[in-house]
Amino acid sequence: MLLRRHHHHRLFRLRLLLLHHHHHQFQSFSTLTIPLSHPTYIIWSSNTSLGKTLVSTGLSSSFLLSPSSSSKKFLYLKPLQTGFPSDSDSRFLFQKLSSLSLSRNLPLFSSHSVLLSSLPAAKSFKPNEFSLNESREMCELGFYEEKKVLEAGRVAPELVSETIYAWEGALSPHFAAEREGGAVEDSELVKRLETRLKEGLLEGGVERGKLDGFCVVETAGGVASPGPSGTLQCDLYRPLRFPGVLVGDGRLGGISGTISAYESLKLRGYDVVAIVIEDHGLINEIPLKSYLRSRVPVFVLPPIPQDPSNDLMEWFDESCNVFNSLKDIMLEAYLERMRRLNEMPRKAGDVFWWPFTQHKLVPPSTVTVIDSRCGENFSVYKVQNKEYITQQFDACASWWTQGPDATLQTELARDMGYAAARFGHVMFPENVYEPALECAELLLDGVGKGWATRVYFSDNGSTAIEIALKMAFRKFSSDHGILPELLKNNPTESCTELMVLALKGSYHGDTLGAMEAQAPSSFTGFLQQPWYTGRGLFLDPPTVFMHNGKWTVSLPEVFHSATLKPEDTTFRSRDEIFLKSRDESNLAGLYSLYVSQQLSQYSTLSETNKQIGALIMEPIIQGAGGMHMVDPLFQRMLVNECRHCRIPVIFDEVFTGFWRLGVESAAELLGCVPDIACFAKLMTGGIIPLAATMATDAIFDSFTGDSKLKALLHGHSYSAHAMGCTAAAKSIKWFKDPNTNLNITSEKSQKMLLRELWDAELVQQFSSHPSISRVVTLGTLFALELQADESDAGYASLYARSLVQMLREDCIYTRPLGNVIYVMCGPCTSPKMCTLQLLKLYTKLEEFTLVKTKMNII
């Protein structure tokens, strides 16, 4: 009884939060679910007035008007119609198909409806009903008509022809919406289209190889014509990613327009299964087929009669074979897509070796089949009684690399395509080309501003760390007399063993050298890395987290002292943790003394000839180690003490850099700068691998000399590759521009920050939850650690497994670090989107807690 009462009390508090946040505001972020029980295609055109509606009509005729078409249903959707009511594509299709059924003496039940229109269109269509209305909103037109051509004893196939939004002016939808009112947001349009797809077709799907449903969505104008909000339609419909048919241009100049439209669609990740053109006697299909190299079939329709009095009945009969072939291609493509989607989980388990994955724990039923990505969301294939594509918010930010919203994703694809076409790949040593130079200059003026002067490119974070270690050790050796002695004697041998000063819980990558620079862990044991020795002095760091609404410093036992006051370790807000005034606190003195004592053991050559040659650390957040926030005061004292000992400082910002923690570089939060820093992941927006190791002039100078042997002999075939540098340059500029990233704010000091993305009240609520031991939130990161027994905690823990499955079912894709659950977004993700994920997480946490509590009682 007490358990139930406590559970309902927390649910009541959650409901209050939902009311407080006006939950209806999240409707625009509701998850899309696209049924795949029948084929759905989008009809594109390279320009307006090329015959999209004729193609849609021909397809509906081919699907419905045959002797074997009984019980079949065809759904035609026209999301945007201008020129209404004098021009209505849905009414044209409705009337033509009804006429075709009569002329061919075949049964058909057809209906036509127009759902919403602007007020001028409504007044023109129904003047008696809307004459006194002055609304600037879209009007519920509610128009419906039907026709029946029936045959005794036979079930008639059905046509549903609908217009969703209509405007009176024969203009581009964005211009018509601006002039007539009735603005329609992209999310609203896409959501209504999804609803009509679900409601407008039978749920039957594929049964014994028989398809009983077919849907086409016909666009307005050309591929890049704007929708009502001004968004290009090729971008507007991208979250749905329907496969498409492109109606090309058979006229003079049409080859160029058709190819441009095709490339615009492919650039955005659309599948185009066929191109259709009208025969204008110019045989445009030949160069189109040559360009497409048989990847996409090209169909040619007979010339369309231009006489307005022609009812086109003969033309549709003449075109019947073309439309039948087109329909067959579309059905085959649909069936092939379904076959691939259904086979992928089993095939993946047979051929993949997934990283950081125990395959015995991943049956095919739990494999996530990702059809595509759009902005922050995966489009995931699922089968639960029926087949469908649904969205999942990528709460792993695809393993900490992702930053683009849908717009930047398209921008990156276009710019990278340009770089690949212009440069392909060119080698880097002794060469310069625009993408590499621009990227380097942006890095030095951004994350390296005020300290770095050199950029060393590599291919990923782990190798960037290897390079940084080489740089640091050379500088240390030069400063401490090791290098001159070495060069005097044998440049290939040394009797000094250089080590790193690092933190327990750190993680710097999987390559052998990077692993040597991290403390013993699950990743470094003999089971994983038999060569591991751990060449470092590894300190246990104090960490910071929120619990019961307060930020607290958790101190290792070595720092426990009677001189400490509560205000040294407890904070009312997270911002207080980063104040430089803490440098004068008692705790700062304890930190400095401890680090100094540890370093003193290596101040002179010991019997083992070991010396600390570099400090390496992840600033602020240890990622793979469990999303722990290290006390920035401790890290600042580490840097200060290493400066005194002339030990080079390396910041591993592979995870923390480029706004991951709310600032461009985590060094801004620490209030100190490194000698060397490593960046990767978000640097390119996460779309392609690239890394950079940045250094000061002093580091660079330690490698200069007359002999090539003194140079840094390290490199990669794809160093500074043009595609990666182009993506990085675009992302670096995009993330810090308030015009493209609406989360960017500026303080009075002109320091750029990300606005707070995680709702403060919800974060407090999480921190007080009895199932949670700690919460960390900073920048794009929200993390929590589930309260678990020691035997059920840590990286190998499966404690969170059921919660992870609940979240995936609720359209949040997350992957735990043992009993640590995190939600990560991109620098451009809206606070509303972040709040929605936290609300879902809290709801599932309640369910998880109740199940666990009941299990413990039993």
Side-chain angles (χ1 to χ4, degrees):
M1 183 65 72
L2 287 174
L3 167 66
R4 193 177 298 115
R5 189 179 303 149
H6 184 60
H7 175 66
H8 287 318
H9 175 61
R10 289 206 307 273
L11 283 178
F12 175 71
R13 287 185 296 175
L14 178 60
R15 290 190 191 103
L16 288 179
L17 277 171
L18 294 178
L19 289 172
H20 172 71
H21 286 291
H22 306 291
H23 196 52
H24 65 269
Q25 70 178 298
F26 300 115
Q27 288 178 353
S28 61
F29 297 112
S30 56
T31 302
L32 293 173
T33 301
I34 309 302
L36 288 182
S37 52
H38 51 266
T40 299
Y41 281 89
I42 190 164
I43 309 297
W44 300 101
S45 179
S46 59
N47 209 335
T48 190
S49 302
L50 292 180
K52 291 189 298 294
T53 309
L54 292 175
V55 171
S56 297
T57 305
L59 284 170
S60 65
S61 169
S62 177
F63 190 74
L64 294 178
L65 301 183
S66 68
S68 60
S69 292
S70 61
S71 77
K72 288 188 175 182
K73 189 172 185 178
F74 190 97
L75 175 62
Y76 169 85
L77 294 174
K78 183 77 175 183
L80 306 172
Q81 177 71 62
T82 58
F84 181 85
S86 59
D87 189 9
S88 172
D89 293 334
S90 59
R91 185 174 62 233
F92 175 91
L93 188 144
F94 165 74
Q95 292 176 337
K96 288 301 175 191
L97 202 66
S98 299
S99 299
L100 283 168
S101 70
L102 282 171
S103 69
R104 298 176 186 178
N105 197 27
L106 291 169
L108 178 70
F109 173 66
S110 55
S111 64
H112 171 233
S113 55
V114 183
L115 304 184
L116 300 112
S117 76
S118 66
L119 182 59
K123 286 182 175 181
S124 179
F125 188 62
K126 292 183 175 182
N128 295 332
E129 292 185 31
F130 292 94
S131 59
L132 300 179
N133 195 328
E134 297 299 329
S135 172
R136 294 281 294 174
E137 302 296 323
M138 296 298 283
C139 303
E140 292 279 354
L141 199 61
F143 172 74
Y144 177 84
E145 61 181 323
E146 63 181 41
K147 290 183 180 180
K148 297 179 181 179
V149 179
L150 302 179
E151 183 178 307
R154 184 174 176 185
V155 178
E158 182 179 359
L159 166 71
V160 177
S161 184
E162 290 184 357
T163 292
I164 300 180
Y165 297 99
W167 290 266
E168 184 182 36
L171 308 164
S172 177
H174 76 291
F175 195 20
E178 181 181 326
R179 285 183 57 176
E180 301 175 27
V184 181
E185 293 295 327
D186 294 349
S187 57
E188 178 190 341
L189 190 156
V190 169
K191 193 64 183 175
R192 192 175 288 270
L193 178 55
E194 174 209 18
T195 300
R196 297 312 304 143
L197 279 170
K198 291 177 180 177
E199 296 176 354
L201 268 175
L202 297 172
E203 294 292 342
V206 184
E207 184 177 355
R208 298 191 185 120
K210 181 182 178 183
L211 288 167
D212 55 17
F214 200 107
C215 175
V216 297
V217 177
E218 186 182 304
T219 59
V223 162
S225 295
S229 72
T231 301
L232 305 186
Q233 287 179 79
C234 49
D235 295 323
L236 168 59
Y237 296 116
R238 178 56 183 81
L240 301 164
R241 209 187 78 87
F242 297 129
V245 170
L246 174 62
V247 180
D249 193 345
R251 300 171 301 185
L252 183 65
I255 297 169
S256 176
T258 303
I259 291 174
S260 295
Y262 174 81
E263 290 187 341
S264 292
L265 293 172
K266 298 298 286 186
L267 175 74
R268 288 164 172 81
Y270 287 103
D271 297 320
V272 178
V273 302
I275 293 176
V276 184
I277 62 171
E278 178 191 356
D279 184 6
H280 283 270
L282 300 176
I283 56 174
N284 282 6
E285 65 273 16
I286 292 180
L288 285 174
K289 288 178 179 179
S290 175
Y291 163 76
L292 293 165
R293 297 178 184 173
S294 303
R295 293 187 299 266
V296 179
V298 179
F299 294 94
V300 182
L301 291 168
I304 301 168
Q306 299 303 304
D307 184 356
S309 65
N310 190 310
D311 64 3
L312 300 178
M313 293 297 104
E314 291 185 6
W315 183 86
F316 277 112
D317 287 339
E318 186 183 353
S319 306
C320 187
N321 289 337
V322 176
F323 286 125
N324 286 340
S325 298
L326 176 60
K327 176 202 67 179
D328 290 342
I329 287 288
M330 295 166 76
L331 292 178
E332 287 171 12
Y334 163 76
L335 292 171
E336 174 62 18
R337 182 189 186 196
M338 297 304 298
R339 184 189 66 79
R340 289 198 313 270
L341 289 170
N342 286 312
E343 287 182 353
M344 283 169 70
R346 178 187 58 80
K347 285 189 171 183
D350 290 342
V351 302
F352 287 167
W353 192 338
W354 285 301
F356 296 97
T357 300
Q358 177 49 262
H359 279 237
K360 291 193 72 174
L361 300 176
V362 187
S365 61
T366 64
V367 174
T368 301
V369 180
I370 300 174
D371 180 70
S372 66
R373 181 191 186 98
C374 185
E376 295 98 339
N377 297 316
F378 294 151
S379 291
V380 174
Y381 175 66
K382 289 195 171 188
V383 181
Q384 291 176 351
N385 300 322
K386 58 184 179 180
E387 305 94 341
Y388 60 95
I389 294 283
T390 189
Q391 289 180 320
Q392 281 187 342
F393 180 83
D394 178 11
C396 296
S398 278
W399 248 359
W400 318 346
T401 67
Q402 282 294 303
D405 54 15
T407 306
L408 177 54
Q409 183 176 336
T410 299
E411 292 271 343
L412 288 170
R414 179 170 54 246
D415 285 8
M416 288 170 61
Y418 166 79
R422 179 179 173 184
F423 294 101
H425 175 61
V426 294
M427 68 175 295
F428 186 50
E430 301 182 49
N431 295 328
V432 62
Y433 37 94
E434 284 183 2
L437 183 59
E438 183 185 14
C439 181
E441 290 174 337
L442 286 166
L443 288 169
L444 293 173
D445 192 47
V447 292
K449 191 168 187 176
W451 68 271
T453 59
R454 297 284 174 167
V455 178
Y456 199 102
F457 287 109
S458 59
D459 57 355
N460 64 69
S462 183
T463 49
I465 293 294
E466 301 261 357
I467 293 163
L469 291 170
K470 290 183 177 182
M471 290 178 177
F473 290 153
R474 172 67 67 85
K475 174 61 174 167
F476 180 86
S477 299
S478 179
D479 287 351
H480 292 263
I482 300 172
L483 188 60
E485 186 68 25
L486 185 65
L487 293 174
K488 189 187 304 181
N489 299 317
N490 187 343
T492 61
E493 294 182 7
S494 173
C495 59
T496 301
E497 181 180 346
L498 295 181
M499 301 164 49
V500 297
L501 176 63
L503 304 180
K504 292 180 180 178
S506 62
Y507 182 83
H508 301 294
D510 300 324
T511 52
L512 297 181
M515 295 186 82
E516 287 294 298
Q518 57 201 45
S521 68
S522 304
F523 309 110
T524 61
F526 187 86
L527 201 60
Q528 298 296 332
Q529 216 293 61
W531 282 1
Y532 174 78
T533 59
R535 304 185 188 192
L537 171 61
F538 303 110
L539 307 183
D540 194 6
T543 57
V544 187
F545 55 84
M546 177 186 266
H547 185 66
N548 286 330
K550 293 183 178 179
W551 287 90
T552 303
V553 177
S554 176
L555 294 172
E557 190 173 344
V558 67
F559 297 116
H560 291 184
S561 169
T563 64
L564 291 179
K565 302 173 183 177
E567 56 264 31
D568 288 326
T569 57
T570 306
F571 305 91
R572 290 168 298 180
S573 72
R574 186 190 60 212
D575 291 346
E576 292 181 2
I577 298 165
F578 296 102
L579 294 176
K580 290 292 290 288
S581 59
R582 293 183 65 207
D583 290 8
E584 308 304 319
S585 66
N586 292 331
L587 191 54
L590 285 175
Y591 286 164
S592 290
L593 179 61
Y594 172 70
V595 175
S596 178
Q597 289 172 344
Q598 294 297 311
L599 288 175
S600 66
Q601 302 174 45
Y602 299 90
S603 59
T604 58
L605 287 177
S606 64
E607 294 180 3
T608 56
N609 296 324
K610 293 182 177 180
Q611 287 190 273
I612 301 294
L615 165 65
I616 182 169
M617 63 183 186
E618 300 159 275
I620 311 296
I621 297 290
Q622 293 182 326
M627 298 298 171
H628 287 282
M629 181 186 289
V630 179
D631 187 357
L633 176 63
F634 177 71
Q635 291 194 317
R636 200 155 52 242
M637 296 303 106
L638 269 174
V639 171
N640 290 346
E641 292 300 323
C642 287
R643 290 268 187 262
H644 294 154
C645 298
R646 292 188 299 162
I647 296 173
V649 175
I650 303 170
F651 283 0
D652 176 356
E653 291 220 51
V654 171
F655 168 56
T656 62
F658 297 104
W659 308 101
R660 180 59 72 204
L661 304 186
V663 288
E664 191 169 24
S665 165
E668 298 174 50
L669 294 174
L670 274 186
C672 57
V673 296
D675 302 296
I676 305 165
C678 303
F679 296 90
K681 297 192 186 299
L682 263 174
M683 186 167 80
T684 63
I687 203 164
I688 191 170
L690 184 73
T693 305
M694 303 179 66
T696 63
D697 262 338
I699 299 292
F700 175 77
D701 289 343
S702 65
F703 286 86
T704 58
D706 296 328
S707 171
K708 187 174 182 179
L709 295 178
K710 197 181 178 186
L712 179 47
L713 304 181
H714 190 118
H716 303 272
S717 299
Y718 289 94
S719 291
H721 57 91
M723 289 174 65
C725 289
T726 299
K730 170 69 78 172
S731 299
I732 291 168
K733 290 184 287 187
W734 189 281
F735 289 149
K736 66 170 65 177
D737 185 349
N739 294 313
T740 51
N741 184 1
L742 301 181
N743 291 331
I744 289 291
T745 62
S746 294
E747 292 183 333
K748 294 178 182 178
S749 63
Q750 301 302 307
K751 180 181 178 182
M752 287 194 296
L753 304 168
L754 286 188
R755 73 174 72 189
E756 192 62 49
L757 300 176
W758 310 103
D759 182 85
E761 191 173 351
L762 267 173
V763 172
Q764 289 256 358
Q765 185 83 354
F766 274 102
S767 77
S768 302
H769 197 286
S771 294
I772 294 175
S773 60
R774 66 179 176 92
V775 168
V776 170
T777 173
L778 185 63
T780 66
L781 171 68
F782 173 89
L784 61 85
E785 182 172 347
L786 295 170
Q787 189 77 51
D789 295 335
E790 188 174 345
S791 60
D792 218 355
Y795 182 77
S797 170
L798 299 178
Y799 185 77
R801 196 175 184 184
S802 60
L803 176 56
V804 168
Q805 193 58 38
M806 290 178 189
L807 290 169
R808 291 183 183 180
E809 290 170 0
D810 200 21
C811 300
I812 300 179
Y813 184 89
T814 188
R815 182 180 159 95
L817 291 164
N819 59 317
V820 173
I821 297 284
Y822 65 91
V823 177
M824 198 178 293
C825 66
C828 301
T829 306
S830 73
K832 286 184 180 179
M833 175 70 83
C834 294
T835 299
L836 178 60
Q837 310 316 313
L838 290 192
L839 289 170
K840 287 184 175 183
L841 174 56
Y842 196 94
T843 303
K844 295 306 174 185
L845 179 65
E846 289 284 84
E847 295 177 19
F848 171 81
T849 301
L850 187 60
V851 170
K852 288 290 185 182
T853 307
K854 286 181 176 179
M855 290 174 59
N856 290 336
I857 292 174
I858 294 171

